[in-house]
């Protein structure tokens, strides 16, 4: 089933190859940042957290009371009242600060998702560039060994060579065709992954450009603190501090304000007789004191531990990202030296081997099997160079990710 799906995708891509749209790396990254559903989801979460800030001053429900009966005397009286509980302004400001810090955390989480998405798009983009280079190398080999096979078949027909020469050429050509088929499947899978990251139905392909990336910035460990991941981890400590402030504010007294309206039938304290039409007003003010605060104090201590955990997470995160950064620098230097070796020596030697082998074959100094061995040696060098470029690009992408580039 998987093979059928991949084959169908290959046919679909080949069938509408004319609809493929070349895209630059910057345009691909911009499209992904605009369309990617995971990023959009994080942005929605940030908007949700921002809206929650307005809930910091939410008040408890207002109590509306109504009494009827023998409230003041044998006569039936009625009483209506309304009460409202409040917290001190410090409580609301602490709650607002906590919600603001949580909103900042959600914004930083968006930045983390964007940085990771940018890295993924770059990796996939240059993987597609790498596959195109492999495709061109296989096409060169296919042309080379197809010519070799025709000549070997003709030489065998004329009796100028034995069967081994033809079989060798046929085997080499068969292996090349298998690699081309596998590469075509790889292209189909990469195309699907690229469309998924960009969240588009357009068949974008990398536009022609240098296959080797350039490092956007020199190594600078001071920038690691500015990385979105580290800022997000550090923000957890700010949230913990705000949580401590909220829990402490809950030890402050609560306030209560109320108003009541009642009737008093019969003779009042002033020796006057009042009926049900006469209403009397009263204002109520109260204060709620946290006499039993042990549990709340434990919550404060718990929040303090959360701050310590956040601080330790930041320290561990810095150690981890510094280690990864140093490893990425080491990888970059290693692959840079490898690429330089290929460009200064190995590729020139490979070209010399190819030209010399062709010349000696034409002069009759070597036979076809010897020629095949020399050509394979030259091709291996070119293939290894393509792999070295791929590894160098990946190390540069990783360094750019750490440098916020």
């Amino acid at each position: 089933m998987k093979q059928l799906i991949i084959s169908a995708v290959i046919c679909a891509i080949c069938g509408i190859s004319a609809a493929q749209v070349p895209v630059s790396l910057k345009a691909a990254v911009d499209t992904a940042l605009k369309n990617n559903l995971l990023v959009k989801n994080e942005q929605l979460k940030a908007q949700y957290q921002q809206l929650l800030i307005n809930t910091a001053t939410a008040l408890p429900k207002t109590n509306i009371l109504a009494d009827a009966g023998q409230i003041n005397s044998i006569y039936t009286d009625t009483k209506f009242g309304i009460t409202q509980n409040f917290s001190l302004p410090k409580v609301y400001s602490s709650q607002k600060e906590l919600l603001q810090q949580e909103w900042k955390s959600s914004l930083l989480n968006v930045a983390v998702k964007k940085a990771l998405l940018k890295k993924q798009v770059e990796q996939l983009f240059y993987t597609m560039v790498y596959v195109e280079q492999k495709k061109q190398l296989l096409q060169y080999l296919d042309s080379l060994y197809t010519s070799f096979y025709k000549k070997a078949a003709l030489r065998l027909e004329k009796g100028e060579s034995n069967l081994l020469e033809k079989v060798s050429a046929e085997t080499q050509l068969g292996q090349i065709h298998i690699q081309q088929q596998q590469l075509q499947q790889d292209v189909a899978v990469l195309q699907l992954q690229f469309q998924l990251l960009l969240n588009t139905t357009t068949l974008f392909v990398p536009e022609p450009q240098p296959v080797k990336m350039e490092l956007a910035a020199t190594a600078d460990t001071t920038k690691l603190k500015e990385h979105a991941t580290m800022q997000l981890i550090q923000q957890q400590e700010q949230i913990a501090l705000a949580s401590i402030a909220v829990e402490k504010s809950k030890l402050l007294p609560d306030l209560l304000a109320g108003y009541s309206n009642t009737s008093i039938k019969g003779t009042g304290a002033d020796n006057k007789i009042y009926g049900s039409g006469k209403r009397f007003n009263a204002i109520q003010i109260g204060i709620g004191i946290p006499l039993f605060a042990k549990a709340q104090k434990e919550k404060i201590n718990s929040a303090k531990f959360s701050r310590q955990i956040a601080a330790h997470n930041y320290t561990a995160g810095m150690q981890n990202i510094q280690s990864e950064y140093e490893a990425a620098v080491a990888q970059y230097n290693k692959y840079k030296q490898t690429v330089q070796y290929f460009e200064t020596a190995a590729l020139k030697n490979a070209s010399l081997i190819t030209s010399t082998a062709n010349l000696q074959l034409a002069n009759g100094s070597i036979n076809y099997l010897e020629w095949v061995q020399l050509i394979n040696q030259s091709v291996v060098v070119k293939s290894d160079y393509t792999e070295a470029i791929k590894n160098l690009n990946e190390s540069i992408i990783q360094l750019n990710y750490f440098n916020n580039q």
Side-chain angles (χ1 to χ4, degrees):
M1 177 61 70
K2 181 179 179 181
Q3 186 68 27
L4 290 175
I5 294 175
I6 294 177
S7 299
V9 171
I10 293 173
C11 293
I13 292 177
C14 293
I16 56 175
S17 58
Q20 290 182 342
V21 179
V23 64
S24 66
L25 177 59
K26 183 180 183 304
V29 170
D30 290 343
T31 301
L33 293 177
K34 179 182 177 182
N35 296 342
N36 186 267
L37 293 179
L38 293 178
V39 171
K40 286 184 176 181
N41 192 46
E42 292 302 324
Q43 290 172 335
L44 288 174
K45 290 180 181 179
Q47 294 176 12
Y48 164 77
Q49 291 292 341
Q50 185 178 22
L51 292 174
L52 282 180
I53 295 175
N54 296 326
T55 67
T57 55
L59 299 177
K61 294 180 179 179
T62 301
N63 297 313
I64 299 177
L65 308 173
D67 294 338
Q70 296 172 329
I71 301 173
N72 302 298
S73 65
I74 193 64
Y75 300 108
T76 299
D77 288 311
T78 59
K79 181 178 181 180
F80 304 97
I82 181 171
T83 62
Q84 179 65 59
N85 291 88
F86 300 89
S87 296
L88 292 175
K90 178 65 176 178
V91 176
Y92 299 123
S93 62
S94 297
Q95 291 177 165
K96 185 175 182 180
E97 177 64 19
L98 175 59
L99 292 172
Q100 286 177 332
Q101 294 300 333
E102 290 177 342
W103 171 55
K104 291 179 181 179
S105 178
S106 64
L107 290 178
L108 289 171
N109 202 38
V110 172
V112 169
K113 294 294 184 183
K114 285 185 175 181
L116 183 59
L117 177 62
K118 180 177 180 293
K119 175 185 172 182
Q120 292 173 333
V121 171
E122 289 177 345
Q123 289 175 329
L124 195 53
F125 186 92
Y126 274 96
T127 299
M128 296 173 74
V129 172
Y130 159 77
V131 169
E132 180 61 27
Q133 295 300 308
K134 296 286 288 186
K135 180 181 177 181
Q136 293 178 9
L137 183 59
L138 287 174
Q139 289 175 344
Y140 164 74
L141 284 174
D142 183 58
S143 175
L144 197 64
Y145 279 103
T146 296
S147 176
F148 170 46
Y149 175 76
K150 292 179 180 179
K151 292 179 181 179
L154 182 61
R155 281 167 54 82
L156 178 63
E157 185 179 341
K158 293 181 178 180
E160 297 177 0
S161 67
N162 55 34
L163 183 62
L164 182 61
E165 187 176 283
K166 179 187 176 185
V167 171
S168 176
E170 188 174 3
T171 301
Q172 293 282 353
L173 199 58
Q175 291 177 341
I176 292 171
H177 289 163
I178 290 176
Q179 292 180 44
Q180 287 177 321
Q181 292 174 1
Q182 292 175 342
L183 198 63
Q184 192 175 22
Q185 293 179 357
D186 291 340
V187 169
V189 173
L190 290 173
Q191 185 72 67
L192 287 174
Q193 293 175 344
F194 202 54
Q195 287 181 261
L196 178 62
L197 282 182
L198 273 59
N199 190 28
T200 179
T201 57
T202 304
L203 293 176
F204 284 121
V205 293
E207 66 181 14
Q209 62 185 311
V211 297
K212 185 170 64 175
M213 292 185 69
E214 296 295 334
L215 189 61
T218 56
D220 186 359
T221 56
T222 61
K223 291 185 177 181
L224 295 179
K225 293 182 179 180
E226 301 173 7
H227 195 271
T229 300
M230 294 311 304
Q231 290 184 339
L232 178 60
I233 296 175
Q234 189 177 38
Q235 183 62 23
Q236 301 311 305
E237 187 173 0
Q238 299 301 317
I239 292 176
L241 286 171
S243 297
I244 293 173
V246 169
E247 297 301 334
K248 285 183 176 180
S249 70
K250 291 180 181 179
L251 291 175
L252 296 174
D254 292 332
L255 301 177
L256 179 143
Y259 166 80
S260 63
N261 180 285
T262 184
S263 65
I264 303 177
K265 292 182 181 179
T267 303
D270 56 359
N271 292 321
K272 291 182 179 181
I273 299 176
Y274 296 100
S276 60
K278 181 64 177 179
R279 310 296 299 181
F280 297 87
N281 303 316
I283 295 176
Q284 182 182 18
I285 297 176
I287 184 171
I289 301 174
L291 296 178
F292 307 100
K294 182 178 179 181
Q296 186 58 37
K297 289 179 179 179
E298 291 299 327
K299 287 185 178 181
I300 295 173
N301 293 331
S302 176
K304 290 179 179 179
F305 273 102
S306 295
R307 182 196 174 185
Q308 293 180 17
I309 292 171
H312 291 162
N313 284 340
Y314 180 78
T315 301
M318 277 302 303
Q319 292 176 348
N320 185 58
I321 197 172
Q322 285 177 344
S323 176
E324 291 181 353
Y325 185 78
E326 290 171 2
V329 171
Q331 290 287 87
Y332 168 74
N333 291 330
K334 179 178 71 174
Y335 293 127
K336 183 180 179 180
Q337 292 176 357
T338 302
V339 169
Q340 288 177 343
Y341 161 72
F342 277 104
E343 292 177 345
T344 57
L347 290 178
K348 294 179 181 178
N349 292 337
S351 297
L352 181 60
I353 289 172
T354 299
S355 59
T356 303
N358 291 334
L359 181 61
Q360 290 184 352
L361 180 64
N363 294 335
S365 301
I366 59 174
N367 58 36
Y368 274 90
L369 295 181
E370 291 173 329
W371 175 84
V372 167
Q373 291 177 347
L374 292 172
I375 293 299
N376 282 345
Q377 182 180 351
S378 174
V379 169
V380 167
V381 171
K382 294 179 180 179
S383 179
D384 289 346
Y385 173 67
T386 303
E387 291 291 334
I389 289 290
K390 175 178 178 291
N391 293 332
L392 177 63
N393 287 342
E394 288 180 351
S395 67
I396 290 175
I397 291 171
Q398 187 71 7
L399 284 177
N400 288 341
Y401 170 72
F402 285 131
N403 289 326
N404 295 315
Q405 298 294 326

